[in-house]
Amino acid sequence: MAKNIKKTTLANKLAKKGDVIKPTTIISKQARTDNDIEDLVGVSSNATGSSNSIYFSPIRTRKQRVINGESLKNNIVKVEALSPTRVAPKKNKKEDQLVSKLQIGSATVVKCKIVPDVVDSPIRIDNIKKELEPQIKKEIDDIKEGLVKIKKEVNSQEESQLYHDVEAPHPFWYNHLENIRNMRNSNSAPVDTMGCHRCADSTADAKTQRFQNLVALMLSSQTKDQTTYEAMNRLKEQTLTPLKIKEIPIAELENLLHPVSFYKNKAKYLKQTVDILLDKYDSDIPDNPKELIALPGVGPKMAHICMAVAWNKITGIGVDVHVHRLSNRLGWLPKPTKEPEQTRVALEKWLPFSLWSEVNHLFVGFGQTICTPVKPNCGECLNKDICPSVNVQIKPKKKSDR
């Protein structure tokens, strides 16, 4: 038999003849009662597999196989038994409650309950805020602190250029000042919490607070801040006003002031002062240094500090024993001075007016902590390389200057 001979298919044979297979019977849609296309095979003939069928199929259909007595091969699905390690999943009752099915015609609509995302829930957001709040606050504080430092550096540079032409006794006077500022910022001193500006009753009226500022300054002379602060608290317990001080017996007033230095003299000056304030100033205090100095027991230092604290006016530098001592040690004076008033006059001749208000508070705290009267802590001082009095040996006095 020859190879490479094409087998002619039935379709090719029919195509060559040009014959068209026509159905012998046309079944209308209304006459059809079957549901399976396979059931239509052989309906017009009693002979199974007849060529007169309206559908021609070379393969015998399911119905033909049944007629011929052939049993259908059922596909048997093997069901695997559940072993202890293979347990059917349990249904979640909560999930079943969230889902409901609704039959609409031939369609099934599944209705599900909307569950909010855990990330977007208010509880989750609140927890995140609580967790991140301290970290965010710390970052904001760090940013603010950095901005403050930058501002200080810029202001310091501008201020340094502004005071460049100041003819000071010491060429590094501004470096001294900047270093003292830095040391005061890192170390608190008694004056910061118990100074005269902290002794007045903040709940009292303005006139009473001014009077209490004056009393604190009168008691602070040659007295430690802690001793002054405690004496002021005892006086405030008795209602510290000019009228009340006038009514208190002198002996009782002395007991309240003790152990303030020279408490008997200060009690006498205080009695005389309240009489003047009641008669001349309507229980208030004078608003200028000249009249303040005229009061018994009030000196120039007290007057200028009182103007700054009570009246918020800068009229001069308040020079106490600390300012007097440090100004001489740092070489801020053309020549050494022996009295605080001499130091004040010499400082005001060259120190810029804009710095007068901070000199007293800076120097007092610095003198209480580092540049102490006896045995100053020069090793901790930032000015140790530019201070003319570094490692100075001071002989202790019999009486402490404060």
Side-chain angles (χ1 to χ4, degrees):
M1 193 172 181
K3 295 181 180 179
N4 299 328
I5 296 175
K6 267 188 176 182
K7 292 183 179 180
T8 306
T9 61
L10 178 62
N12 290 335
K13 290 179 180 179
L14 294 174
K16 286 179 180 180
K17 290 182 179 182
D19 295 337
V20 179
I21 300 174
K22 295 182 180 180
T24 56
T25 305
I26 298 176
I27 301 173
S28 62
K29 288 185 177 181
Q30 290 79 4
R32 290 181 57 183
T33 58
D34 47 53
N35 294 324
D36 194 342
I37 191 172
E38 293 182 349
D39 295 331
L40 298 175
V41 178
V43 293
S44 61
S45 175
N46 293 329
T48 304
S50 172
S51 60
N52 294 328
S53 301
I54 61 173
Y55 294 102
F56 176 80
S57 174
I59 302 173
R60 289 182 303 169
T61 63
R62 169 174 50 81
K63 190 171 183 179
Q64 290 171 332
R65 292 197 301 273
V66 173
I67 293 172
N68 292 337
E70 296 181 11
S71 60
L72 295 175
K73 295 181 180 179
N74 297 327
N75 293 327
I76 301 172
V77 179
K78 293 182 179 180
V79 180
E80 184 180 351
L82 293 178
S83 60
T85 57
R86 186 172 177 270
V87 182
K90 295 181 180 180
K91 292 185 178 181
N92 193 340
K93 293 183 179 180
K94 292 184 179 179
E95 292 181 359
D96 292 344
Q97 293 174 358
L98 298 177
V99 180
S100 60
K101 294 182 180 180
L102 182 64
Q103 191 72 27
I104 302 176
S106 60
T108 303
V109 178
V110 179
K111 185 179 179 182
C112 301
K113 183 178 179 180
I114 299 175
V115 181
D117 195 350
V118 179
V119 177
D120 298 331
S121 65
I123 298 174
R124 176 62 177 163
I125 293 173
D126 291 342
N127 291 337
I128 293 173
K129 286 181 178 179
K130 289 180 181 179
E131 292 174 1
L132 297 179
E133 188 175 359
Q135 182 180 353
I136 294 171
K137 187 177 179 181
K138 185 179 181 301
E139 291 177 357
I140 293 173
D141 292 340
D142 292 341
I143 293 171
K144 287 182 179 179
E145 187 177 350
L147 292 174
V148 170
K149 288 182 179 178
I150 293 171
K151 187 177 180 181
K152 283 183 179 180
E153 291 177 359
V154 173
N155 293 340
S156 177
Q157 294 175 0
E158 293 178 352
E159 194 177 54
S160 178
Q161 295 175 358
L162 181 65
Y163 301 141
H164 182 71
D165 297 331
V166 174
E167 295 181 0
H170 197 288
F172 298 125
W173 73 273
Y174 189 77
N175 300 89
H176 293 158
L177 183 65
E178 276 292 282
N179 289 333
I180 293 173
R181 284 172 176 169
N182 292 331
M183 286 184 283
R184 289 286 284 111
N185 288 333
S186 57
N187 297 312
S188 60
V191 70
D192 297 329
T193 55
M194 295 179 288
C196 296
H197 62 293
R198 297 288 189 184
C199 292
D201 184 5
S202 59
T203 61
D205 58 88
K207 185 188 292 188
T208 302
Q209 287 189 47
R210 287 193 290 268
F211 171 70
Q212 292 178 359
N213 287 327
L214 177 61
V215 173
L217 284 165
M218 292 174 68
L219 301 182
S220 68
S221 178
Q222 299 185 36
T223 305
K224 292 183 177 180
D225 287 329
Q226 183 177 355
T227 305
T228 302
Y229 189 80
E230 291 172 353
M232 284 295 296
N233 287 339
R234 291 193 295 270
L235 290 173
K236 286 187 290 186
E237 290 176 358
Q238 304 294 324
T239 310
L240 183 53
T241 61
L243 184 60
K244 183 64 177 178
I245 295 297
K246 182 180 176 65
E247 295 174 352
I248 295 177
I250 186 69
E252 184 179 347
L253 184 58
E254 290 176 356
N255 291 332
L256 291 172
L257 298 184
H258 182 76
V260 171
S261 300
F262 310 107
Y263 65 94
K264 289 188 177 182
N265 289 337
K266 291 177 181 179
K268 181 179 66 175
Y269 294 148
L270 194 53
K271 278 284 190 179
Q272 294 172 356
T273 298
V274 296
D275 289 338
I276 297 172
L277 298 181
L278 289 169
D279 296 340
K280 193 175 179 180
Y281 298 99
D282 189 26
S283 299
D284 207 343
I285 64 174
D287 60 356
N288 60 83
K290 184 178 180 180
E291 294 184 23
L292 281 170
I293 294 172
L295 297 173
V298 179
K301 177 208 77 170
M302 300 179 196
H304 292 304
I305 296 177
C306 187
M307 288 298 300
V309 175
W311 294 104
N312 198 25
K313 295 179 181 179
I314 305 301
T315 57
I317 301 174
V319 178
D320 65 349
V321 290
H322 295 289
V323 180
H324 172 64
R325 179 178 71 255
L326 296 180
S327 298
N328 279 277
R329 284 184 181 178
L330 292 171
W332 279 28
L333 305 174
K335 59 181 181 180
T337 57
K338 293 183 178 181
E339 299 294 332
E341 185 59 17
Q342 296 174 351
T343 302
R344 182 187 68 82
V345 174
L347 285 175
E348 290 181 357
K349 285 183 178 179
W350 68 268
L351 191 67
F353 177 77
S354 58
L355 301 176
W356 288 12
S357 59
E358 65 173 327
V359 168
N360 179 271
H361 192 71
L362 281 176
F363 279 27
V364 170
F366 181 58
Q368 290 176 338
T369 55
I370 295 178
C371 197
T372 53
V374 181
K375 295 182 180 180
N377 303 319
C378 296
E380 300 178 11
C381 182
L382 299 178
N383 289 322
K384 59 186 176 182
D385 295 329
I386 54 175
C387 178
S389 303
V390 64
N391 296 324
V392 64
Q393 296 295 328
I394 305 297
K395 293 181 179 180
K397 298 179 181 180
K398 292 182 180 180
K399 291 184 178 180
S400 175
D401 56 354
R402 191 170 180 181

